[in-house]
mmCIF file of all heavy atoms in Angstrom:
data_model
loop_
_atom_site.group_PDB
_atom_site.id
_atom_site.type_symbol
_atom_site.label_atom_id
_atom_site.label_comp_id
_atom_site.label_asym_id
_atom_site.label_seq_id
_atom_site.Cartn_x
_atom_site.Cartn_y
_atom_site.Cartn_z
ATOM 1 N N SER A 49 13.871 -1.528 17.298
ATOM 2 C CA SER A 49 12.629 -2.070 16.863
ATOM 3 C C SER A 49 12.044 -1.265 15.698
ATOM 4 O O SER A 49 12.128 -0.124 15.661
ATOM 5 C CB SER A 49 11.623 -2.088 18.031
ATOM 6 O OG SER A 49 10.434 -2.521 17.552
ATOM 7 N N PHE A 50 11.482 -2.014 14.685
ATOM 8 C CA PHE A 50 10.944 -1.285 13.576
ATOM 9 C C PHE A 50 9.647 -0.482 14.066
ATOM 10 O O PHE A 50 9.474 0.684 13.718
ATOM 11 C CB PHE A 50 10.410 -2.309 12.528
ATOM 12 C CG PHE A 50 9.475 -1.585 11.502
ATOM 13 C CD1 PHE A 50 10.010 -0.775 10.548
ATOM 14 C CD2 PHE A 50 8.120 -1.780 11.525
ATOM 15 C CE1 PHE A 50 9.188 -0.176 9.593
ATOM 16 C CE2 PHE A 50 7.238 -1.198 10.627
ATOM 17 C CZ PHE A 50 7.835 -0.411 9.629
ATOM 18 N N SER A 51 8.794 -1.069 14.984
ATOM 19 C CA SER A 51 7.606 -0.412 15.460
ATOM 20 C C SER A 51 8.073 0.875 16.187
ATOM 21 O O SER A 51 8.594 0.784 17.263
ATOM 22 C CB SER A 51 6.804 -1.273 16.431
ATOM 23 O OG SER A 51 6.449 -2.444 15.627
ATOM 24 N N PRO A 52 7.906 2.022 15.685
ATOM 25 C CA PRO A 52 8.464 3.277 16.112
ATOM 26 C C PRO A 52 8.139 3.576 17.584
ATOM 27 O O PRO A 52 8.741 4.375 18.338
ATOM 28 C CB PRO A 52 8.075 4.320 15.189
ATOM 29 C CG PRO A 52 7.785 3.596 13.951
ATOM 30 C CD PRO A 52 7.154 2.322 14.437
ATOM 31 N N TYR A 53 6.785 3.139 17.965
ATOM 32 C CA TYR A 53 6.354 3.584 19.339
ATOM 33 C C TYR A 53 6.367 2.367 20.381
ATOM 34 O O TYR A 53 5.717 2.463 21.428
ATOM 35 C CB TYR A 53 4.887 4.127 19.186
ATOM 36 C CG TYR A 53 3.981 3.252 18.352
ATOM 37 C CD1 TYR A 53 3.436 2.224 18.942
ATOM 38 C CD2 TYR A 53 3.683 3.588 17.024
ATOM 39 C CE1 TYR A 53 2.630 1.318 18.135
ATOM 40 C CE2 TYR A 53 2.847 2.856 16.283
ATOM 41 C CZ TYR A 53 2.322 1.720 16.849
ATOM 42 O OH TYR A 53 1.478 0.931 16.080
ATOM 43 N N CYS A 54 6.945 1.206 19.982
ATOM 44 C CA CYS A 54 6.917 0.110 20.947
ATOM 45 C C CYS A 54 8.024 0.349 21.964
ATOM 46 O O CYS A 54 8.820 1.171 21.893
ATOM 47 C CB CYS A 54 7.156 -1.132 20.207
ATOM 48 S SG CYS A 54 8.861 -1.424 19.682
ATOM 49 N N SER A 55 7.860 -0.428 23.046
ATOM 50 C CA SER A 55 8.870 -0.349 24.075
ATOM 51 C C SER A 55 10.134 -1.141 23.753
ATOM 52 O O SER A 55 10.071 -2.178 23.113
ATOM 53 C CB SER A 55 8.207 -0.979 25.394
ATOM 54 O OG SER A 55 7.108 -0.169 25.858
ATOM 55 N N VAL A 56 11.244 -0.662 24.232
ATOM 56 C CA VAL A 56 12.503 -1.357 24.023
ATOM 57 C C VAL A 56 13.212 -1.403 25.295
ATOM 58 O O VAL A 56 12.883 -0.679 26.331
ATOM 59 C CB VAL A 56 13.459 -0.656 22.987
ATOM 60 C CG1 VAL A 56 12.654 -0.705 21.595
ATOM 61 C CG2 VAL A 56 13.704 0.783 23.362
ATOM 62 N N SER A 57 14.165 -2.290 25.412
ATOM 63 C CA SER A 57 14.930 -2.394 26.676
ATOM 64 C C SER A 57 15.768 -1.216 27.030
ATOM 65 O O SER A 57 16.224 -0.431 26.166
ATOM 66 C CB SER A 57 15.831 -3.617 26.582
ATOM 67 O OG SER A 57 16.844 -3.359 25.748
ATOM 68 N N ASN A 58 16.059 -1.062 28.305
ATOM 69 C CA ASN A 58 16.966 0.002 28.749
ATOM 70 C C ASN A 58 18.394 -0.169 28.027
ATOM 71 O O ASN A 58 19.060 0.789 27.811
ATOM 72 C CB ASN A 58 17.137 -0.087 30.272
ATOM 73 C CG ASN A 58 15.908 0.474 31.000
ATOM 74 O OD1 ASN A 58 15.337 1.391 30.575
ATOM 75 N ND2 ASN A 58 15.506 -0.233 32.026
ATOM 76 N N LEU A 59 18.764 -1.390 27.759
ATOM 77 C CA LEU A 59 20.001 -1.596 27.212
ATOM 78 C C LEU A 59 20.049 -0.903 25.823
ATOM 79 O O LEU A 59 21.003 -0.210 25.480
ATOM 80 C CB LEU A 59 20.157 -3.196 26.975
ATOM 81 C CG LEU A 59 21.436 -3.620 26.166
ATOM 82 C CD1 LEU A 59 22.671 -3.271 26.950
ATOM 83 C CD2 LEU A 59 21.329 -5.043 25.885
ATOM 84 N N SER A 60 19.079 -1.119 25.022
ATOM 85 C CA SER A 60 18.979 -0.467 23.687
ATOM 86 C C SER A 60 18.903 1.031 23.783
ATOM 87 O O SER A 60 19.632 1.750 23.097
ATOM 88 C CB SER A 60 17.830 -0.896 22.888
ATOM 89 O OG SER A 60 17.808 -2.352 22.669
ATOM 90 N N MET A 61 18.119 1.602 24.750
ATOM 91 C CA MET A 61 17.969 2.969 24.891
ATOM 92 C C MET A 61 19.310 3.608 25.316
ATOM 93 O O MET A 61 19.580 4.797 25.193
ATOM 94 C CB MET A 61 16.864 3.373 25.881
ATOM 95 C CG MET A 61 15.450 3.097 25.391
ATOM 96 S SD MET A 61 15.093 4.044 23.939
ATOM 97 C CE MET A 61 14.919 5.653 24.719
ATOM 98 N N GLY A 62 20.226 2.831 25.986
ATOM 99 C CA GLY A 62 21.494 3.380 26.458
ATOM 100 C C GLY A 62 22.556 3.491 25.346
ATOM 101 O O GLY A 62 23.504 4.161 25.545
ATOM 102 N N GLN A 63 22.242 2.968 24.218
ATOM 103 C CA GLN A 63 23.161 3.020 23.123
ATOM 104 C C GLN A 63 23.106 4.353 22.501
ATOM 105 O O GLN A 63 22.112 5.115 22.582
ATOM 106 C CB GLN A 63 22.827 1.913 22.032
ATOM 107 C CG GLN A 63 22.908 0.509 22.650
ATOM 108 C CD GLN A 63 24.287 0.055 22.934
ATOM 109 O OE1 GLN A 63 25.159 0.537 22.294
ATOM 110 N NE2 GLN A 63 24.461 -0.765 23.895
ATOM 111 N N THR A 64 24.227 4.761 21.698
ATOM 112 C CA THR A 64 24.058 5.981 20.903
ATOM 113 C C THR A 64 22.982 5.832 19.859
ATOM 114 O O THR A 64 22.907 4.838 19.202
ATOM 115 C CB THR A 64 25.476 6.090 20.166
ATOM 116 O OG1 THR A 64 26.495 6.123 21.178
ATOM 117 C CG2 THR A 64 25.568 7.437 19.381
ATOM 118 N N GLN A 65 22.214 6.826 19.664
ATOM 119 C CA GLN A 65 21.074 6.834 18.780
ATOM 120 C C GLN A 65 21.569 7.021 17.356
ATOM 121 O O GLN A 65 21.502 7.995 16.761
ATOM 122 C CB GLN A 65 20.038 7.902 19.215
ATOM 123 C CG GLN A 65 19.507 7.731 20.579
ATOM 124 C CD GLN A 65 18.796 6.441 20.746
ATOM 125 O OE1 GLN A 65 17.744 6.294 20.071
ATOM 126 N NE2 GLN A 65 19.192 5.578 21.636
ATOM 127 N N LYS A 66 21.996 5.829 16.791
ATOM 128 C CA LYS A 66 22.342 5.820 15.421
ATOM 129 C C LYS A 66 21.551 4.791 14.705
ATOM 130 O O LYS A 66 21.151 3.764 15.351
ATOM 131 C CB LYS A 66 23.813 5.501 15.199
ATOM 132 C CG LYS A 66 24.870 6.515 15.787
ATOM 133 C CD LYS A 66 26.207 6.019 15.554
ATOM 134 C CE LYS A 66 27.289 7.119 16.114
ATOM 135 N NZ LYS A 66 28.612 6.747 15.875
ATOM 136 N N GLN A 67 21.278 4.994 13.473
ATOM 137 C CA GLN A 67 20.570 3.927 12.692
ATOM 138 C C GLN A 67 21.542 2.863 12.399
ATOM 139 O O GLN A 67 22.773 3.007 12.234
ATOM 140 C CB GLN A 67 20.039 4.539 11.373
ATOM 141 C CG GLN A 67 18.945 5.518 11.607
ATOM 142 C CD GLN A 67 18.536 6.233 10.349
ATOM 143 O OE1 GLN A 67 19.378 6.575 9.571
ATOM 144 N NE2 GLN A 67 17.156 6.336 10.200
ATOM 145 N N MET A 68 20.958 1.637 12.346
ATOM 146 C CA MET A 68 21.838 0.492 12.070
ATOM 147 C C MET A 68 22.392 0.547 10.674
ATOM 148 O O MET A 68 21.725 0.919 9.740
ATOM 149 C CB MET A 68 20.910 -0.816 12.105
ATOM 150 C CG MET A 68 21.762 -2.110 12.022
ATOM 151 S SD MET A 68 20.666 -3.546 11.803
ATOM 152 C CE MET A 68 20.248 -3.300 10.023
ATOM 153 N N LEU A 69 23.596 0.085 10.545
ATOM 154 C CA LEU A 69 24.261 0.010 9.286
ATOM 155 C C LEU A 69 24.484 -1.449 8.884
ATOM 156 O O LEU A 69 25.104 -2.119 9.703
ATOM 157 C CB LEU A 69 25.667 0.815 9.272
ATOM 158 C CG LEU A 69 25.585 2.290 9.558
ATOM 159 C CD1 LEU A 69 26.949 2.833 9.568
ATOM 160 C CD2 LEU A 69 24.732 2.999 8.523
ATOM 161 N N VAL A 70 24.078 -1.878 7.753
ATOM 162 C CA VAL A 70 24.362 -3.236 7.384
ATOM 163 C C VAL A 70 25.475 -3.222 6.385
ATOM 164 O O VAL A 70 25.361 -2.656 5.300
ATOM 165 C CB VAL A 70 22.985 -3.801 6.671
ATOM 166 C CG1 VAL A 70 23.312 -5.255 6.276
ATOM 167 C CG2 VAL A 70 21.878 -3.734 7.715
ATOM 168 N N GLU A 71 26.522 -3.863 6.731
ATOM 169 C CA GLU A 71 27.829 -3.799 5.937
ATOM 170 C C GLU A 71 27.627 -4.694 4.671
ATOM 171 O O GLU A 71 28.171 -4.386 3.647
ATOM 172 C CB GLU A 71 29.004 -4.244 6.744
ATOM 173 C CG GLU A 71 29.298 -3.274 7.880
ATOM 174 C CD GLU A 71 30.393 -3.682 8.765
ATOM 175 O OE1 GLU A 71 31.005 -4.843 8.414
ATOM 176 O OE2 GLU A 71 30.816 -3.096 9.711
ATOM 177 N N ASN A 72 26.906 -5.797 4.875
ATOM 178 C CA ASN A 72 26.803 -6.779 3.809
ATOM 179 C C ASN A 72 25.383 -6.457 3.102
ATOM 180 O O ASN A 72 24.406 -6.470 3.727
ATOM 181 C CB ASN A 72 26.853 -8.166 4.207
ATOM 182 C CG ASN A 72 26.897 -9.204 3.098
ATOM 183 O OD1 ASN A 72 26.116 -9.039 2.127
ATOM 184 N ND2 ASN A 72 27.921 -10.105 3.193
ATOM 185 N N GLU A 73 25.416 -6.186 1.781
ATOM 186 C CA GLU A 73 24.245 -5.880 1.083
ATOM 187 C C GLU A 73 23.485 -7.138 0.665
ATOM 188 O O GLU A 73 22.357 -6.970 -0.027
ATOM 189 C CB GLU A 73 24.523 -4.982 -0.170
ATOM 190 C CG GLU A 73 24.970 -3.565 0.230
ATOM 191 C CD GLU A 73 23.824 -2.794 0.864
ATOM 192 O OE1 GLU A 73 22.745 -2.785 0.301
ATOM 193 O OE2 GLU A 73 24.067 -2.179 1.870
ATOM 194 N N ASN A 74 23.918 -8.221 0.913
ATOM 195 C CA ASN A 74 23.194 -9.471 0.467
ATOM 196 C C ASN A 74 22.102 -9.869 1.353
ATOM 197 O O ASN A 74 22.102 -10.873 2.120
ATOM 198 C CB ASN A 74 24.233 -10.645 0.356
ATOM 199 C CG ASN A 74 23.672 -11.851 -0.325
ATOM 200 O OD1 ASN A 74 22.743 -11.745 -1.153
ATOM 201 N ND2 ASN A 74 24.246 -12.996 0.057
ATOM 202 N N LEU A 75 21.074 -9.112 1.224
ATOM 203 C CA LEU A 75 19.861 -9.290 2.035
ATOM 204 C C LEU A 75 18.802 -10.079 1.236
ATOM 205 O O LEU A 75 18.588 -9.806 0.037
ATOM 206 C CB LEU A 75 19.230 -7.988 2.498
ATOM 207 C CG LEU A 75 20.192 -7.035 3.220
ATOM 208 C CD1 LEU A 75 19.446 -5.718 3.552
ATOM 209 C CD2 LEU A 75 20.768 -7.632 4.456
ATOM 210 N N VAL A 76 18.219 -11.056 1.815
ATOM 211 C CA VAL A 76 17.081 -11.791 1.127
ATOM 212 C C VAL A 76 15.827 -11.722 2.061
ATOM 213 O O VAL A 76 15.879 -12.243 3.137
ATOM 214 C CB VAL A 76 17.518 -13.184 0.918
ATOM 215 C CG1 VAL A 76 16.418 -13.992 0.100
ATOM 216 C CG2 VAL A 76 18.771 -13.228 0.052
#
Side-chain angles (χ1 to χ4, degrees):
S49 174
F50 168 75
S51 301
Y53 49 77
C54 74
S55 297
V56 297
S57 68
N58 287 317
L59 175 66
S60 296
M61 289 298 289
Q63 302 289 332
T64 303
Q65 298 296 297
K66 294 180 180 179
Q67 292 175 316
M68 185 193 79
L69 299 177
V70 179
E71 295 176 0
N72 189 312
E73 288 293 313
N74 188 25
L75 309 177
V76 181

